Amino acid sequence: AAGIYVTKNARDHHTSKFSSKELIVRRGQAFIVTFNGTEQPEQNLTFIAETGPKPSKLAKTQATFGISSTVSKESWSAVLQSTSSNSVSISISSPPNAVIGRYKLSVQTTSIGSSSPASLGTFVLLFNPWSSGDDVFMPNKAECEEYVLEEFGIIFAGNKNHISSFGWNFGQFQGDILNICLSMLDRSLNYRQDPATDVSHRNDPKYLGRVLSAMVNANDDQGVLLGNWSGNYEGGKSPSSWTGSGEILQNWKKSGFKPVKYGQCWVFAAVLTTVLRCLGIPTRTITNFSSAHDADGNLRVDEFYDASGNHLDRAADSIWNFHVWNESWFSRSDLDPSYSGWQVLDATPQEESGGIYQCGPASRNAIKEGDVDLDYDCPFVFAEVNADCMYWNYDPASGKKTLMFSESTVIGQFISTKAVGKDDRVDVTNDYKYEEGSTKERDVFKKARKKLGLEDKFDPTAPTPQEIDQKPDISGKFKVAGPLEVGKDLNLILVLANLQSDAKTVHLNMTAWSTVYTRRPVHEIWKDSISVTLSPREEKQFPIKIPYTEYQQQLTTDNTIQVTALCHVEGGIQVLVQRDITLDNPAIDIQVLGEAKVNKEVDVEVIFTNPIDTEVMDCVLQVEGNDLLRGILEIEIAFKEQTKPRSVATP
């Protein structure tokens, strides 16, 4: 727009990272507009700011305001800054609860009769975490920098025994991302049903967070990403091959808004982080290890195994090695102030909420206190971090199931997020629940069950008191003996201990399956059965070796293997020993050669060592770097001598 000062406004409004030529400002804060005007403008100028398809004063999507001497806190206002013979500078302020989005700004001179308004152009209004009147106000400036302005992040994955991490390029300020985020709002179900009402709610972060948690997945609304947990990703990109949100959002727009294939939880969470940071809502990704997916809402997850020790995929409930969701920072005007602060949002389509796949915002404080009767989706999030687990033995022939054991302390471990200003892992488990095993934690669990009316209901799936009280005669565990790396043999030790003072005979059925990270079995890799006798109080070790050649073809891109030993103890109850293993990919080493200077080329050496004893063919190196490379660089590595066994490739 003629005379809208983009640079100075952008600096004051923390929007200078946007690459757009359009004015982008934050609500509740003044911005300067300059335009050609007459000698005495202050008497006769009226400004009109409007957004959405049917702007109206009632819906707060249209504001008309003249020039006043002071800034109003409650409404739009304009204050004269300076005038010269041919131009006027005006400072315009929006209220801290204004609707966000793209506005048209026009000005009308009233003295010359009713002339039609002259357009001053458009601007985009965003949430303002730097302004104390805004619902998303975040008093800590370093946190604002991290959770709104930081374009690069670290996401944690793996499993509770072996936490790994990878980088992600959120890229919320890249060209066109803001436009894509705004068009995402205009493609939501709420907008399609009633555009004017939807736009009028866009001043409320809890409304937008919920709408966007639905729009980032493709279910219900042709949203951004199609989920796929099958292990087969034909017709799209495997979820683990994405390195940033920009490519995903741009592909969605380029294809005419057809869902991008494929996403899994961290991809959904990363894209939602990009969209919310772009709009100005402080947001971060959270990884929960041993995360429960409680499909039936009873705060318990049931797992089934057959007599051979195979993990059966027969229950809607499941326990994922890890699950990634979001926390966004805003106050809850609908709840007591104690529930403000971090709110859980989840764009991964797991269970419907209000008839569509969306989740949150659930107050993190409400989860910790067991207040699962509050909006939104608190029971589901509570179960993710604190459900009880029931492990059943199931006989497909008779349909009979017997409880092997139950656990109340395994779900929700090492809940992790990236540190502010550095790449370290911060553990936030204590913000989600009281310490496992403490009476306070059990009291909260009982309170949650009571609020959901579960404590006195007869539950046909519940174990009987006799089943719960049975005590096993032996104990077992899998220990790792050697590196957990793709390309290396997998060496484990099964340790069995007789807990009794008489000898025990045990028949073991052991299996190893490749899985996806949700622990859904995909391919059998190995099985074995043995019988052993354990003397009184004896402990025995059984080494297990699964060669790389045996698991290589069966592995999914998640690199996860579940190993199980089902122990049938003669005259006693069955004991299940299991372990989830995540294998690391070989490392890629990056070194900057020489000095890196602004606007000067710099050479970077990337070193990859082939870890296996076979030639690898058709290798592609994918590189992404914000503001360093245009888009994503793909380099084919085809040199014969570089792909030989144990050789090194340095593009």
Side-chain angles (χ1 to χ4, degrees):
I4 291 187
Y5 284 155
V6 172
T7 42
K8 180 180 182 328
N9 285 323
R11 207 171 47 238
D12 294 346
H13 285 253
H14 304 93
T15 57
S16 40
K17 283 190 169 183
F18 283 102
S19 48
S20 158
K21 297 279 176 283
E22 191 174 19
L23 176 67
I24 301 167
V25 290
R26 299 188 186 277
R27 64 186 191 175
Q29 188 177 335
F31 60 96
I32 310 286
V33 177
T34 302
F35 58 95
N36 301 334
T38 51
E39 298 290 317
Q40 300 167 299
E42 57 271 29
Q43 284 87 34
N44 55 12
L45 288 186
T46 304
F47 293 92
I48 303 149
E50 48 192 12
T51 185
K54 291 184 190 160
S56 87
K57 289 192 167 123
L58 191 64
K60 295 196 166 56
T61 49
Q62 183 188 55
T64 52
F65 48 100
I67 290 186
S68 53
S69 53
T70 55
V71 172
S72 158
K73 278 268 182 284
E74 273 70 59
S75 57
W76 290 78
S77 58
V79 176
L80 184 66
Q81 292 293 101
S82 66
T83 67
S84 65
S85 57
N86 58 358
S87 77
V88 189
S89 275
I90 307 277
S91 167
I92 294 179
S93 301
S94 61
N97 63 346
V99 165
I100 63 116
R102 180 169 280 115
Y103 279 79
K104 292 193 197 90
L105 182 64
S106 43
V107 62
Q108 195 162 19
T109 44
T110 42
S111 56
I112 320 163
S114 54
S115 67
S116 61
S119 169
L120 292 174
T122 63
F123 65 93
V124 177
L125 192 67
L126 302 176
F127 289 99
N128 194 348
W130 287 270
S131 160
S132 61
D134 199 308
D135 284 341
V136 304
F137 173 59
M138 194 164 225
N140 181 320
K141 296 291 172 283
E143 292 184 351
C144 278
E145 290 276 328
E146 176 73 41
Y147 299 134
V148 182
L149 301 181
E150 181 56 65
E151 291 187 80
F152 187 77
I154 302 279
I155 298 174
F156 297 93
N159 65 48
K160 64 178 186 231
N161 304 313
H162 186 78
I163 296 176
S164 58
S165 64
F166 52 89
W168 190 273
N169 185 0
F170 295 119
Q172 65 269 35
F173 302 115
Q174 287 176 7
D176 217 29
I177 295 297
L178 176 58
N179 287 330
I180 295 171
C181 295
L182 293 174
S183 59
M184 200 181 293
L185 294 174
D186 290 348
R187 302 186 75 79
S188 74
L189 295 176
N190 300 42
Y191 183 87
R192 289 183 222 171
Q193 282 152 8
D194 184 346
T197 305
D198 170 71
V199 173
S200 74
H201 285 312
R202 291 185 190 174
N203 62 333
D204 182 355
K206 67 179 179 294
Y207 176 81
L208 276 193
R210 189 159 174 81
V211 165
L212 290 166
S213 80
M215 276 305 294
V216 167
N217 66 65
N219 307 51
D220 317 303
D221 48 28
Q222 289 293 99
V224 179
L225 272 162
L226 188 64
N228 180 346
W229 287 266
S230 68
N232 171 10
Y233 308 115
E234 272 172 52
K237 272 183 79 154
S238 123
S240 55
S241 66
W242 300 109
T243 50
S245 310
E247 187 188 1
I248 294 166
L249 290 165
Q250 278 152 358
N251 286 357
W252 183 56
K253 184 182 176 178
K254 271 187 214 131
S255 70
F257 301 104
K258 289 192 180 66
V260 176
K261 299 171 179 175
Y262 292 104
Q264 286 174 356
C265 68
W266 67 93
V267 192
F268 291 109
V271 170
L272 186 55
T273 302
T274 298
V275 176
L276 293 171
R277 283 186 184 181
C278 183
L279 298 176
I281 301 176
T283 302
R284 61 190 189 179
T285 61
I286 297 286
T287 303
N288 178 38
F289 292 94
S290 297
S291 189
H293 175 174
D294 172 25
D296 52 8
N298 63 357
L299 305 189
R300 282 215 315 261
V301 284
D302 298 300
E303 292 231 302
F304 294 91
Y305 292 82
D306 67 14
S308 308
N310 294 308
H311 181 188
L312 301 175
D313 192 17
R314 72 174 297 274
D317 288 358
S318 53
I319 304 165
W320 296 15
N321 283 334
F322 69 92
H323 178 40
V324 185
W325 60 71
N326 298 90
E327 282 180 358
S328 287
W329 178 272
F330 48 85
S331 61
R332 289 295 294 265
S333 49
D334 57 328
L335 301 176
D336 184 86
S338 66
Y339 298 111
S340 292
W342 289 114
Q343 310 293 322
V344 174
L345 291 163
D346 193 345
T348 299
Q350 292 186 85
E351 294 296 322
E352 289 185 1
S353 167
I356 57 176
Y357 284 97
Q358 57 188 354
C359 180
S363 159
R364 196 179 70 178
N365 294 349
I367 303 301
K368 180 164 182 172
E369 298 302 333
D371 295 325
V372 292
D373 48 344
L374 301 176
D375 286 343
Y376 295 85
D377 306 307
C378 285
F380 186 76
V381 179
F382 182 89
E384 286 181 310
V385 297
N386 214 0
D388 281 0
C389 278
M390 306 285 155
Y391 296 90
W392 302 86
N393 183 226
Y394 179 74
D395 176 8
S398 65
K400 186 171 177 292
K401 60 182 188 123
T402 36
L403 183 78
M404 292 184 276
F405 65 109
S406 66
E407 287 270 16
S408 65
T409 58
V410 297
I411 295 295
Q413 301 195 26
F414 303 111
I415 306 177
S416 304
T417 191
K418 175 191 175 299
V420 172
K422 43 186 197 290
D423 291 348
D424 302 349
R425 183 181 80 86
V426 175
D427 194 299
V428 294
T429 311
N430 293 341
D431 296 320
Y432 276 87
K433 56 183 174 180
Y434 291 95
E435 197 177 341
E436 283 289 6
S438 66
T439 49
K440 180 76 180 155
E441 182 272 331
R442 281 291 94 183
D443 289 348
V444 167
F445 185 80
K446 288 186 189 115
K447 171 182 168 184
R449 277 186 72 85
K450 190 167 183 184
K451 287 200 166 193
L452 296 175
L454 292 168
E455 84 284 22
D456 12 318
K457 249 192 210 147
F458 172 68
D459 182 351
T461 67
T464 63
Q466 301 89 292
E467 282 181 308
I468 289 177
D469 290 341
Q470 286 180 301
K471 290 281 175 279
D473 296 319
I474 67 161
S475 71
K477 62 171 182 259
F478 282 110
K479 290 206 315 210
V480 172
L484 295 177
E485 289 168 32
V486 175
K488 305 259 167 72
D489 297 343
L490 180 57
N491 287 293
L492 304 170
I493 297 167
L494 173 63
V495 183
L496 291 183
N498 182 357
L499 307 173
Q500 305 301 332
S501 44
D502 52 342
K504 294 288 169 199
T505 302
V506 187
H507 306 286
L508 287 95
N509 292 332
M510 297 181 287
T511 63
W513 284 71
S514 68
T515 64
V516 283
Y517 76 100
T518 62
R519 293 177 62 251
R520 198 181 71 77
V522 178
H523 294 288
E524 186 177 76
I525 293 174
W526 167 88
K527 63 177 177 189
D528 196 8
S529 48
I530 50 172
S531 293
V532 296
T533 303
L534 295 171
S535 325
R537 310 271 172 211
E538 183 187 15
E539 183 177 284
K540 265 190 184 165
Q541 299 199 347
F542 304 91
I544 293 165
K545 178 176 177 160
I546 304 175
Y548 173 62
T549 47
E550 276 185 31
Y551 72 74
Q552 172 187 11
Q553 296 304 319
Q554 320 298 347
L555 209 54
T556 65
T557 52
D558 293 0
N559 294 352
T560 50
I561 294 174
Q562 186 182 34
V563 190
T564 305
L566 190 57
C567 311
H568 302 267
V569 183
E570 285 186 6
I573 62 168
Q574 294 176 340
V575 173
L576 175 74
V577 186
Q578 54 141 2
R579 177 144 183 173
D580 294 287
I581 286 159
T582 307
L583 303 172
D584 288 330
N585 280 321
I588 295 176
D589 189 30
I590 302 180
Q591 293 179 350
V592 179
L593 309 175
E595 199 176 1
K597 283 190 174 161
V598 176
N599 295 326
K600 290 266 191 294
E601 284 193 0
V602 63
D603 285 326
V604 176
E605 183 177 64
V606 179
I607 300 173
F608 173 75
T609 308
N610 175 12
I612 59 173
D613 291 324
T614 356
E615 250 181 47
V616 290
M617 312 292 283
D618 304 327
C619 302
V620 177
L621 177 74
Q622 183 175 307
V623 193
E624 173 162 19
N626 248 9
D627 307 326
L628 296 169
L629 302 165
R630 281 202 184 88
I632 292 171
L633 189 63
E634 293 202 340
I635 304 167
E636 292 192 13
I637 309 170
F639 299 113
K640 258 288 175 265
E641 70 274 14
Q642 291 181 351
T643 54
K644 288 201 181 114
R646 311 277 176 202
S647 72
V648 176
T650 57

